[in-house]
Amino acid sequence: MDELLTTRQVLDHLQVDRTTIYRMLKDGRLQGVKIGQHWRFHRASVEALLAESSASPATAPQPTPMLSTEVLPIHCLQSVQDVSAETVEVGVITTDTNGQPMTEISNSCHFCNLIRSTESGRQACINSWRQLAQQPDAQPHFFTCHAGFQYARARIEIDGVSTAQLVAGQFFTATPDPVQREKQIQDLAQKHGLSVAELRQADPKQNVLSQTKQAKITNWLQKLADTFAIISLERADMLNRLQRIANLSALGTE
């Protein structure tokens, strides 16, 4: 009986990203069976794909599809992001690889709204998101932003290339030291021209996530980023088909 491989084993064998695996399933290049909520793949099919790839002559690299408002409308991304952020109870935003926002922040806390109400505060947030995008680790991990909160990011990859990132944050992973947090609030208020008292009152000190919820968030975040990538690929495929139909229709009128 042919051995069944997990998705992770196939990723390691083929050296591709998860989105490419789903694309191969869709176009028939890879055969798999779904057992419950998980895909399993026949080893023979994977090895045949590897052999075919090795035997094929090198071809010119294909253009890398990029996320855009045409392929993945921002209003669509925003709606899914809004619902997800409220359900998980964290702030969520999608940015490009330079940290520039592609969406509005979903479920944003009052403290961060105050920070971003100033130009310097908004730029400080963008700089933090940019630093997140530059982190070399492929999987989500936690990072401290300029305001002292914890954030994690998941890359939205198209054919193995990171084209955007999904960021979740505005929480603590441990109860902050009161003295250090007070000093941080005073520094933020002075730097961005805000009221110390207002920032202090808005500070969500109680938003400390347990280790269990931290693990759930990083897992959920990567799944959501993968979903956005799959939607992008499927929409791009649909637009290409529509364009070919339009081209054929144009030829028929000449």
Side-chain angles (χ1 to χ4, degrees), residues 18 24 29 31 40 60-61 63 66 121 135 147 169 179 181 189 199 201 204 217 232:
R18 191 178 297 268
M24 288 178 172
R29 283 179 290 165
Q31 301 299 318
R40 295 293 183 266
M66 301 296 285
Q135 294 297 313
V179 176
R181 187 57 179 168
L199 273 183
Q201 184 176 6
I217 283 178
S232 175

Side-chain angles (χ1 to χ4, degrees), residues 67 77 94 154-158 161-166 225 228-229:
L67 283 178
L77 188 154
T94 303
R155 293 171 177 166
I156 301 175
E157 295 188 344
I158 306 298
V161 177
S162 179
T163 58
Q165 67 174 355
L166 196 62
F228 284 161

Side-chain angles (χ1 to χ4, degrees), residues 56-69:
S56 301
T59 57
Q62 298 298 313
T64 300
M66 301 296 285
L67 283 178
S68 69
T69 54

Side-chain angles (χ1 to χ4, degrees), residues 4-5 34 51 69 72 81 116 118 122 135 143 157 189 193 198 211 218 248 252:
L4 294 178
L5 303 179
K34 199 165 188 180
T69 54
L72 185 60
Q81 180 184 288
R116 292 195 319 279
T118 69
R122 176 177 172 80
Q135 294 297 313
F143 169 87
E157 295 188 344
E198 194 170 6
Q211 290 187 348
T218 55
L248 289 172

Side-chain angles (χ1 to χ4, degrees), residues 12 62 71 80 98 111 114 122 154 178 201 205 228 230 252:
D12 293 339
Q62 298 298 313
V71 174
V80 176
N98 288 318
F111 188 96
L114 289 173
R122 176 177 172 80
Q201 184 176 6
K205 299 182 181 66
F228 284 161
I230 293 168

Side-chain angles (χ1 to χ4, degrees), residues 194-209:
L194 296 167
S195 164
V196 173
E198 194 170 6
L199 273 183
R200 185 187 297 126
Q201 184 176 6
D203 191 28
K205 299 182 181 66
Q206 74 284 357
N207 193 14
V208 180
L209 303 189

